[in-house]
Amino acid sequence: YNISKKDEYNYTIEMALAGYNKTDINIELKEGELSISCTKDNETADSSIIHKGISTKNFLRKFTLSDEVHVKNAEMKDGMLYVRLERIIPEHRKSKTINIK
């Protein structure tokens, strides 16, 4: 997986998930912990496959998010899962410039 910073407030988690489709993936946010998992039923062995290099086993990956980070959306495209995050800072925590009189 990759975590990239788009700007001061937006981030993206990218996960390579070749062999899975979006109905196989479960994304859950609970108590500041983002869980991405798959409980895919393993298909029966296909005798035509000579080498199986793309894994389709079950997995679980967890990310701890701060209270300021919220999940905007998730998208599956070309074997990649993109989870977009946004950091929302309350007004009382933002920096302020104080004018001198």
Side-chain angles (χ1 to χ4, degrees):
Y1 67 91
N2 294 332
I3 300 176
S4 59
K5 183 176 181 178
K6 302 300 178 192
D7 57 39
E8 187 177 351
Y9 301 105
N10 293 287
Y11 304 85
T12 302
I13 298 173
E14 304 169 325
M15 292 184 73
L17 297 175
Y20 299 92
N21 64 46
K22 64 183 178 182
T23 59
D24 298 329
I25 309 299
N26 303 310
I27 302 173
E28 180 180 16
L29 179 62
K30 183 178 179 182
E31 297 178 13
E33 187 172 75
L34 177 67
S35 298
I36 302 172
S37 64
C38 175
T39 53
K40 184 174 182 171
D41 295 328
N42 292 327
E43 298 107 26
T44 57
D46 185 352
S47 62
S48 65
I49 295 177
I50 297 170
H51 172 76
K52 185 165 178 64
I54 299 174
S55 176
T56 55
K57 61 184 177 180
N58 297 340
F59 68 87
L60 172 63
R61 180 69 181 120
K62 295 183 178 187
F63 302 90
T64 302
L65 304 179
S66 76
D67 292 338
E68 299 172 346
V69 176
H70 302 275
V71 178
K72 287 174 59 175
N73 61 37
E75 176 185 19
M76 186 83 166
K77 183 178 177 185
D78 299 329
M80 293 291 293
L81 175 67
Y82 301 95
V83 180
R84 291 181 177 75
L85 309 172
E86 182 176 18
R87 182 175 171 219
I88 300 173
I89 301 174
E91 285 297 319
H92 70 278
R93 295 196 56 208
K94 289 182 180 178
S95 65
K96 298 176 187 173
T97 302
I98 309 299
N99 293 324
I100 301 172
K101 292 183 180 184

